[in-house]
Amino acid sequence: MYVGRDMTELTMMPKTEWKDSELAFFHHSMQQVVPYLNSEGQSLHRKIIEEIERRGGLNRNEADYTHGTKVSYD
């Protein structure tokens, strides 16, 4: 379950200030409903994708015994 800032709060701040887990969660959520998004939703999803790409993706650089190499948003 996602525990963090909601979309209302996040839309009031630049994507550069979003945490990786927030980007990952909302990207995954929006990806599931892409066919149903209106133009505003599509624009927001595109900006999230662009920020993820700007950061070099969502993969962790190193794994250790407590974390894998994939960002978890749970």
Side-chain angles (χ1 to χ4, degrees):
M1 183 164 111
Y2 172 74
V3 178
R5 298 180 285 189
D6 67 0
M7 184 60 80
T8 305
E9 181 179 353
L10 290 171
T11 55
M12 301 297 180
M13 56 192 316
K15 307 296 176 279
T16 55
E17 294 181 16
W18 288 30
K19 298 176 187 172
D20 286 349
S21 61
E22 293 165 340
L23 289 168
F25 175 77
F26 286 107
H27 169 58
H28 179 73
S29 297
M30 296 179 93
Q31 191 175 34
Q32 302 300 308
V33 295
V34 164
Y36 309 105
L37 293 175
N38 62 14
S39 59
E40 185 177 350
Q42 291 173 1
S43 175
L44 177 60
H45 187 219
R46 183 73 208 141
K47 289 176 185 173
I48 290 171
I49 292 169
E50 288 170 359
E51 180 59 23
I52 291 169
E53 290 173 348
R54 189 189 70 74
R55 294 184 187 189
L58 292 174
N59 294 326
R60 291 173 52 100
N61 294 332
E62 294 181 19
D64 59 29
Y65 69 96
T66 61
H67 298 92
T69 57
K70 187 173 182 181
V71 173
S72 175
Y73 48 82
D74 289 341

